């Protein structure tokens, strides 16, 4: 793991590191630095139309994770059909959007879409410099689709493992731990054999069911995968009761960069406020409107203005999300020219 990842994981999993980090966020000079970087980054993204894309190819999932709102989600659980996917791609092309990243997931398991890697190939042919990524529990993987994954041009796979034992894995996700581990092992073996550049990340969402497993999880996988992410559970805008994960955090919250520079399109064609907007509160669809027309609408702008004015704590959708509790770190390493 890189040093920055080790630091981030320590902040997420250790209250002492978190309290030290939060003190940095209260320093006036630091807050002014982040404010300047926000202004420069937003201007850069808008001028160059370098908006990241999150395209939810599937809102169907085979897991029932305790920290995920999927089981209670009221919108239709479906695949994004070819016609809608092609419409989204054409909208992006027509508007000259140049996505640096394209994430093919949101609230759902992308491997439920049998045409996933056909779509990866299409996106890489249109935007070869974009980083195309998926997040998956990998339980539905087979030798065949692992081969497809490695040959498709996919840049990164983020595997939600979330546990270091069979019992805690089943309690958290309702799936078979040995199946997931076997599929990870197969992916890593095939990646080595083919010398694929695919980046592999493993994640653990921290919750009561896996408390105390962090060290063993990191020790087991840190030398085998490219990165490990420890992340506290969030409440998805009030959709999941996860207690108060940021009770030690500074009251001075920072703007979320995704709200300004990543466009999330749900499997039904609606543009979501962000990746945490699992229900879709905007109710504007790419079938009727251009993507940027929706993304620059008054509804979005109102949320952005509240973030910039420091009123984030008043927003139910935002106040318990990791992005606003990061002390502006998401803005620090962004490019501007």
């Amino acid at each position: 793991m890189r040093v920055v990842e080790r630091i981030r994981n320590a902040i997420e999993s250790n209250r002492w590191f978190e309290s030290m980090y939060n003190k940095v966020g209260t320093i006036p000079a630091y807050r002014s630095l982040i404010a300047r970087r926000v202004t420069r980054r937003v201007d850069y993204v808008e001028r160059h139309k370098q908006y990241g894309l999150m395209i939810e190819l599937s809102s169907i999932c085979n897991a029932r994770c305790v920290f995920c709102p999927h089981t209670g989600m009221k919108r239709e659980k479906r695949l994004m059909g070819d016609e809608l996917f092609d419409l989204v791609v054409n909208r992006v092309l027509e508007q000259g959007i140049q996505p640096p990243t394209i994430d093919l997931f949101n609230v759902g398991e992308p491997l439920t879409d049998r045409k996933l890697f056909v779509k990866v190939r299409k996106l890489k042919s249109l935007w070869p410099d974009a980083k195309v990524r998926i997040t998956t529990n990998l339980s539905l993987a087979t030798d065949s689709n692992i081969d497809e994954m490695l040959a498709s041009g996919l840049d990164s796979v983020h595997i939600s493992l979330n546990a270091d034992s069979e019992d805690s894995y089943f309690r958290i996700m309702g799936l078979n731990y040995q199946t997931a581990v076997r599929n990870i092992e197969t992916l890593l073996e095939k990646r080595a054999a083919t010398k694929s550049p695919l980046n592999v990340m493993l994640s653990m969402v921290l919750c009561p069911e896996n408390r105390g497993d962090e060290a063993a999880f990191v020790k087991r996988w840190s030398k085998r995968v490219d990165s490990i992410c420890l992340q506290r559970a969030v409440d998805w805008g009030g959709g999941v009761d996860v207690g108060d994960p940021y009770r030690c955090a500074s009251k001075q919250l920072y703007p979320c960069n995704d709200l300004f520079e990543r466009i999330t399109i749900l499997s039904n064609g609606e543009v979501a406020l962000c990746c945490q907007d699992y229900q879709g509160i905007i109710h504007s669809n790419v079938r009727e409107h251009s993507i940027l027309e929706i993304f620059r609408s008054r509804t979005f702008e109102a949320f952005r203005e509240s973030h910039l004015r420091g009123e984030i704590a008043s927003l139910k959708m935002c106040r318990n999300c990791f992005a606003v509790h990061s002390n502006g770190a998401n803005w620090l390493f962004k490019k501007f020219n």
Side-chain angles (χ1 to χ4, degrees):
M1 288 190 294
R2 295 177 302 166
V3 172
V4 66
E5 289 165 349
R6 293 179 185 276
I7 293 172
R8 182 189 182 282
N9 289 342
I11 292 167
E12 284 295 295
S13 60
N14 185 293
R15 292 297 183 184
W16 183 84
F17 277 103
E18 181 195 9
S19 64
M20 294 298 101
Y21 180 61
N22 286 330
K23 289 179 181 179
V24 174
T26 65
I27 300 171
Y30 177 81
R31 294 185 61 80
S32 296
L33 168 66
I34 298 300
R36 291 193 300 272
R37 296 185 76 83
V38 169
T39 300
R40 293 176 63 199
R41 175 64 181 175
V42 171
D43 175 69
Y44 172 83
V45 169
E46 290 180 350
R47 280 190 292 110
H48 296 277
K49 294 188 178 180
Q50 286 208 347
Y51 299 101
L53 298 177
M54 173 173 271
I55 305 173
E56 184 187 69
L57 296 182
S58 174
S59 52
I60 301 166
C61 192
N62 61 317
R64 53 177 191 273
C65 300
V66 295
F67 46 73
C68 179
H70 186 267
T71 54
M73 188 171 72
K74 294 188 171 50
R75 64 181 170 92
E76 181 187 8
K77 296 167 185 175
R78 52 169 287 171
L79 296 177
M80 176 182 283
D82 292 347
E83 169 269 330
L84 180 53
F85 176 76
D86 289 342
L87 175 62
V88 169
V89 169
N90 289 334
R91 292 280 199 197
V92 175
L93 288 169
E94 289 165 2
Q95 294 196 262
I97 296 170
Q98 299 296 321
T101 58
I102 305 176
D103 295 316
L104 298 178
F105 60 91
N106 189 25
V107 186
E109 169 52 57
L111 289 180
T112 58
D113 184 351
R114 294 183 180 180
K115 295 183 178 180
L116 169 61
F117 299 111
V118 173
K119 293 168 182 173
V120 170
R121 283 190 172 91
K122 179 170 184 173
L123 294 169
K124 289 299 290 186
S125 70
L126 292 170
W127 295 283
D129 294 331
K131 298 294 184 184
V132 180
R133 311 179 295 197
I134 62 170
T135 289
T136 171
N137 57 56
L138 212 65
S139 291
L140 296 177
T142 63
D143 280 0
S144 176
N145 61 25
I146 287 175
D147 289 339
E148 285 188 88
M149 183 185 299
L150 292 167
S152 66
L154 186 73
D155 293 285
S156 179
V157 58
H158 181 160
I159 303 168
S160 299
L161 188 57
N162 300 313
D164 192 58
S165 71
E166 209 162 334
D167 289 344
S168 57
Y169 184 81
F170 184 78
R171 289 198 305 273
I172 292 167
M173 303 181 70
L175 298 173
N176 185 283
Y177 179 72
Q178 296 302 331
T179 298
V181 170
R182 184 169 61 250
N183 289 339
I184 295 170
E185 301 277 3
T186 300
L187 172 62
L188 294 175
E189 289 167 7
K190 286 178 175 284
R191 183 180 71 154
T194 59
K195 296 182 170 55
S196 166
L198 177 70
N199 182 279
V200 178
M201 172 192 283
L202 257 58
S203 70
M204 173 185 275
V205 175
L206 304 176
C207 56
E209 290 80 1
N210 60 24
R211 185 170 292 128
D213 287 353
E214 303 95 319
F217 183 86
V218 172
K219 182 178 180 180
R220 183 189 298 269
W221 296 105
S222 61
K223 294 182 180 179
R224 306 197 59 200
V225 298
D226 297 294
S227 55
I228 290 178
C229 176
L230 303 181
Q231 174 69 60
R232 273 170 284 186
V234 297
D235 72 354
W236 295 84
V240 181
D241 182 7
V242 294
D244 185 9
Y246 295 98
R247 62 185 180 273
C248 296
S250 167
K251 297 295 183 182
Q252 299 179 28
L253 306 182
Y254 282 78
C256 170
N257 63 305
D258 278 0
L259 189 57
F260 294 83
E261 61 178 286
R262 183 160 72 160
I263 300 169
T264 301
I265 303 170
L266 302 177
S267 57
N268 59 9
E270 291 190 359
V271 175
L273 179 71
C274 63
C275 62
Q276 299 297 304
D277 177 18
Y278 69 98
Q279 296 284 28
I281 66 172
I282 304 299
H283 300 301
S284 288
N285 201 294
V286 297
R287 289 188 175 94
E288 288 84 40
H289 306 279
S290 75
I291 293 173
L292 290 183
E293 179 186 355
I294 301 171
F295 194 64
R296 294 171 176 171
S297 67
R298 184 59 201 151
T299 304
F300 272 95
E301 289 302 320
F303 271 89
R304 293 178 188 123
E305 288 166 8
S306 293
H307 275 237
L308 295 176
R309 288 197 300 264
E311 299 170 354
I312 302 167
S314 67
L315 302 174
K316 183 179 179 181
M317 180 60 69
C318 306
R319 63 189 176 217
N320 282 319
C321 178
F322 56 86
V324 301
H325 288 276
S326 67
N327 284 339
N330 292 342
W331 300 95
L332 277 178
F333 305 106
K334 299 290 186 178
K335 66 179 182 179
F336 307 112
N337 50 50

